[in-house]
């Protein structure tokens, strides 16, 4: 420990392109809405910074306070940036305001996304310099939208006293999305064309640059959202072209499994489900199943295993296996219910099965939060045969509701579901390993066999699943270890190891 070490709270600035309850398109929004609060409980001083989107509900916009404004240099231009602030349940959220970039109908998918998030990243660095309350020890960046922060900070802001001891953490939530753009950006927007180190590390091919690659090369620590995904990212199959960088930097790469918001996802108190239940009294789960069968137009038969799927209908989720295996599963008298939206061909395929199998199969092509709660509560098995899954939340939610997950062994699915072991009785769900529809169907029918023949064992597995701790406390402690590893001069303020 350095002699000048002293005890104080580390200041963490969490930079994210989305955060619940202001804006969400995926898991990142959930993480940014929950983790910083858990970091505060773990002894940090945490705040979140995100864009002020036009879609943020008016009730929050009305409560924002103007903190500062300045101009952000973007190559040959200076662009306006306002900083607004809102305190929500004890946590400070800061919003980067520029209406030309962010006052739009959605979050992403615009022709100038590269410029928008380059601006956002640069604005964060400027804000650290110019806004005293945003001074921090660690800037925690997430996905490609904030991946340029470590690059800018190192190459353009080292001289500023507010920045020279700021360490950066880069978290990968999904490597599929990297922010790849034409190299003209280097001179037109990023202002990095004349810095050889930055240029070399941002290039990903002859004439493109890659924001994520920049963040991965420049950050002081890399994390991803499960230990298995951290390992998989180093393989060509999962690394999406960046696996050499993950291999090279594997000594600073850590996988930390996300948590879930256990106050929202709690069958004992959930106001959206038909009847509440808990591990102490499971009786009402049967009523939740009956009500779900009724709601979805399925045969109200408690002896049918009800398999539910909730999520985006995209190739990532292994839907090809489900489509291939569907006829076989149906022949065995299992019910299947799917809730999701996504690729047109996937939606079409499940609509077809819905028609074909009448009261044994239901596909709800919709985004319906209330129904998702009823499905987590009313299902017997949650099916998640993902091709890759950085963390996955659905399987953790399902376990909390005593709905046993059946997953492919990948990423966070492998790290969160303990497979049933017929010799020891251990397990919180079922797993299969290959992207093979027959293997999935065999595992599923094996699980159904237990459901049909050994309800006592089934209940034991449900209770084991419900007893698993998926709160954010564990993850927050692991992130604190990383932050403090970057700042050995600061003694940990409140080291809680109560996992
Ligand atoms: P991903 O982040 O890859 O989309 P996750 O499993 O990590 O998948 O998180 C998905 C979250 O979104 C879960 O909370 C799930 O309940 C919710 N969700 C996904 N699709 C729907 C839908 N159609 N209706 C309601 N909730 C959904």
């Amino acid at each position: 420990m350095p002699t000048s070490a002293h005890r104080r709270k580390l200041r963490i600035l969490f930079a994210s392109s989305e955060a619940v309850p202001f804006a969400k398109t995926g898991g990142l929004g959930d993480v940014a809405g929950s983790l910083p609060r858990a970091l505060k409980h773990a002894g940090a001083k945490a705040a979140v910074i995100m864009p002020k989107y036009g879609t943020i509900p008016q009730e929050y916009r009305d409560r924002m306070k103007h903190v500062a404004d300045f101009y952000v240099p973007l190559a040959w231009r200076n662009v306006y940036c306002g900083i607004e602030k809102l305190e929500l349940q004890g946590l400070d959220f800061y919003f980067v305001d520029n209406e030309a970039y962010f006052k739009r109908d959605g979050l992403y998918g615009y022709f100038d996304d590269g410029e928008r998030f380059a601006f956002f990243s640069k604005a964060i660095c400027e804000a650290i310099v110019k806004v005293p309350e945003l001074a921090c020890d660690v800037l925690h960046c997430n996905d490609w939208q904030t991946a340029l922060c470590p690059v800018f900070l190192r190459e353009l802001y080292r001289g500023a006293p507010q920045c020279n001891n700021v360490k950066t953490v880069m978290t990968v939530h999904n490597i599929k999305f990297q922010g790849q753009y034409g190299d003209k950006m280097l001179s037109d927007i990023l202002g990095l064309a004349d810095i050889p180190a930055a240029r070399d590390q941002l290039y990903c091919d002859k004439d493109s640059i890659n924001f994520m690659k920049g963040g991965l090369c420049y950050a002081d620590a890399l994390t991803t959202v499960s230990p298995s995904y951290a390992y998989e990212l180093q393989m060509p199959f999962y690394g999406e072209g960046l696996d050499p960088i993950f291999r090279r930097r594997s000594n600073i790469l850590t996988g930390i499994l996300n948590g879930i918001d256990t106050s929202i996802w709690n069958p004992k108190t959930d106001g959206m489900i038909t009847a509440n239940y808990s591990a102490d009294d499971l009786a009402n789960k049967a009523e939740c199943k009956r009500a779900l069968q009724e709601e979805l137009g399925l045969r109200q038969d408690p002896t049918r295993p009800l398999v539910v799927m909730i999520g985006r209908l995209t190739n990532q989720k292994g839907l090809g296996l489900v489509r291939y295996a569907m006829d076989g599963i149906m022949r065995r008298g299992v019910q299947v219910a799917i809730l999701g939206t996504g690729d047109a061909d996937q939606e079409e395929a499940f609509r077809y099965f819905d028609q074909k199998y009448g009261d044994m199969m239901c596909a709800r092509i919709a985004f319906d939060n209330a129904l998702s709660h009823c499905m987590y509560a009313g299902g017997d098995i949650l099916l998640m045969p993902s091709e890759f899954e950085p963390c996955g939340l659905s399987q953790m939610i399902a376990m909390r509701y005593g709905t046993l997950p059946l997953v492919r062994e990948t990423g966070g699915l492998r790290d969160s579901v303990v497979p049933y072991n017929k010799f020891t009785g251990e397990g919180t769900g079922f797993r299969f390993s290959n992207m093979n529809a027959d293997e999935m169907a065999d595992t599923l029918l094996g699980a159904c066999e237990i459901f049909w023949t050994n309800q006592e064992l089934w209940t034991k597995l449900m209770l084991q699943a419900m007893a698993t701790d998926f709160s954010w406390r564990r993850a927050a402690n692991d992130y604190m270890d990383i932050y403090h590893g970057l700042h050995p001069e600061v003694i940990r303020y409140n080291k809680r190891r109560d996992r």
Side-chain angles (χ1 to χ4, degrees):
M1 189 77 60
T3 46
S4 59
H6 58 290
R7 187 181 301 274
R8 67 172 171 83
K9 290 191 177 188
L10 273 185
R11 297 160 302 173
I12 315 299
L13 184 57
F14 198 88
S16 175
S17 57
E18 45 187 273
V20 166
F22 306 107
K24 170 181 165 173
T25 65
L28 171 59
D30 288 316
V31 175
S34 309
L35 173 59
R37 199 163 279 117
L39 292 173
K40 282 189 79 171
H41 287 296
K45 192 170 176 299
V48 179
I49 188 161
M50 64 178 287
K52 185 182 175 194
Y53 295 111
T55 51
I56 294 177
Q58 195 60 39
E59 52 166 317
Y60 297 125
R61 303 169 71 82
D62 290 344
R63 287 165 49 196
M64 292 179 190
K65 298 233 165 24
H66 186 83
V67 174
D69 51 77
F70 44 81
Y71 281 82
V72 176
L74 282 188
W76 46 270
R77 284 165 298 159
N78 283 323
V79 181
Y80 170 84
C81 171
I83 298 289
E84 309 210 343
K85 177 181 177 181
L86 167 63
E87 192 195 313
L88 191 72
Q89 294 159 8
L91 185 67
D92 290 336
F93 288 86
Y94 292 87
F95 297 87
V96 169
D97 182 26
N98 176 303
E99 296 200 343
Y101 285 137
F102 298 127
K103 197 169 180 197
R104 303 187 187 182
D105 296 338
L107 271 56
Y108 319 122
Y110 298 96
F111 75 98
D112 58 348
D113 278 359
E115 178 174 340
R116 295 168 72 220
F117 290 101
F119 162 78
F120 177 52
S121 301
K122 197 85 179 284
I124 292 169
C125 300
E126 283 289 320
I128 292 173
V129 174
K130 297 204 162 111
V131 183
E133 58 192 276
L134 284 171
C136 61
D137 301 297
V138 176
L139 177 62
H140 189 148
C141 306
N142 294 277
D143 278 352
W144 71 268
Q145 294 91 341
T146 48
L148 287 179
C149 292
V151 185
F152 289 140
L153 216 52
R154 176 76 54 87
E155 298 292 1
L156 304 176
Y157 291 89
R158 273 294 149 190
Q162 299 90 336
C163 292
N164 63 15
N165 201 28
V166 174
K167 304 291 183 190
T168 50
V169 175
M170 174 80 217
T171 297
V172 177
H173 296 260
N174 192 338
I175 199 65
K176 248 311 201 244
F177 309 103
Q178 301 183 358
Q180 197 168 320
Y181 298 98
D183 60 355
K184 263 202 161 46
M185 273 202 133
L186 275 174
S187 51
D188 273 1
I189 292 159
L190 311 189
L192 294 170
D194 297 329
I195 302 177
R199 212 180 44 211
D200 289 354
Q201 294 183 84
L202 281 166
Y203 265 103
C204 59
D205 64 32
K206 193 165 65 55
D207 41 25
S208 318
I209 59 165
N210 183 319
F211 287 16
M212 179 74 103
K213 183 166 178 274
L216 296 177
C217 290
Y218 272 86
D220 296 304
L222 305 179
T223 76
T224 188
V225 289
S226 69
S228 290
Y229 196 56
Y231 179 66
E232 290 168 350
L233 284 172
Q234 299 173 51
M235 303 174 186
F237 181 80
Y238 294 99
E240 299 287 333
L242 297 180
D243 46 292
I245 298 174
F246 289 112
R247 285 198 295 278
R248 177 163 62 79
R249 308 209 74 197
S250 59
N251 60 325
I252 58 155
L253 170 64
T254 314
I256 300 176
L257 194 71
N258 286 338
I260 55 172
D261 190 327
T262 46
S263 60
I264 295 176
W265 300 108
N266 184 354
K268 197 171 182 177
T269 53
D270 191 335
M272 294 191 207
I273 63 178
T274 310
N276 292 109
Y277 59 92
S278 67
D280 299 329
D281 183 3
L282 282 171
N284 278 343
K285 186 163 167 64
E287 173 54 17
C288 290
K289 177 171 175 178
R290 193 210 54 76
L292 180 63
Q293 286 171 322
E294 183 181 8
E295 157 81 22
L296 298 180
L298 296 170
R299 196 178 308 164
Q300 290 175 45
D301 180 350
T303 67
R304 305 278 176 180
L306 175 49
V307 177
V308 295
M309 291 185 75
I310 300 150
R312 291 178 294 118
L313 302 180
T314 65
N315 289 340
Q316 175 194 333
K317 301 293 177 182
L319 300 170
L321 305 192
V322 183
R323 286 161 63 171
Y324 185 91
M326 188 65 92
D327 291 327
I329 295 170
M330 286 287 130
R331 269 199 301 275
R332 297 291 297 271
V334 176
Q335 289 185 337
V336 176
I338 292 181
L339 169 65
T341 56
D343 298 345
D345 60 327
Q346 303 284 9
E347 293 184 352
E348 203 43 51
F350 289 108
R351 277 200 194 96
Y352 161 79
F353 287 124
D354 182 314
Q355 286 202 341
K356 182 171 178 187
Y357 289 110
D359 64 0
M360 290 300 282
M361 201 279 163
C362 173
R364 277 288 165 91
I365 308 301
F367 194 97
D368 186 337
N369 185 44
L371 180 58
S372 79
H373 282 248
C374 296
M375 288 179 68
Y376 286 120
D380 295 305
I381 295 171
L382 176 101
L383 180 58
M384 219 168 156
S386 306
E387 187 178 319
F388 70 95
E389 196 62 74
C391 176
L393 299 174
S394 297
Q395 81 282 9
M396 297 196 240
I397 300 171
M399 283 185 261
R400 195 120 166 95
Y401 283 75
T403 300
L404 297 181
L406 192 152
V407 302
R408 192 175 92 80
E409 279 172 11
T410 184
L413 299 176
R414 176 204 288 270
D415 295 332
S416 55
V417 179
V418 180
Y420 166 57
N421 179 325
K422 65 179 174 186
F423 302 107
T424 62
E426 271 180 319
T428 58
F430 305 91
R431 300 200 322 211
F432 67 100
S433 58
N434 296 298
M435 283 299 289
N436 179 307
D438 292 325
E439 197 177 318
M440 181 197 76
D442 280 352
T443 313
L444 179 61
L445 294 173
C448 292
E449 203 60 40
I450 300 176
F451 179 88
W452 279 313
T453 59
N454 193 345
Q455 269 298 319
E456 199 182 321
L457 173 58
W458 192 266
T459 306
K460 176 173 141 63
L461 294 175
M462 282 170 67
L463 292 176
Q464 285 168 189
M466 293 174 88
T468 313
D469 177 12
F470 289 119
S471 70
W472 274 103
R473 196 175 53 205
R474 167 197 46 78
N477 270 317
D478 290 347
Y479 281 107
M480 290 297 281
D481 288 345
I482 290 175
Y483 302 147
H484 277 275
L486 296 173
H487 279 288
E489 78 283 7
V490 180
I491 299 172
R492 193 148 169 180
Y493 184 77
N494 174 18
K495 190 166 167 103
R496 294 194 340 181
R497 274 274 161 231
D498 47 346
R499 340 181 134 206

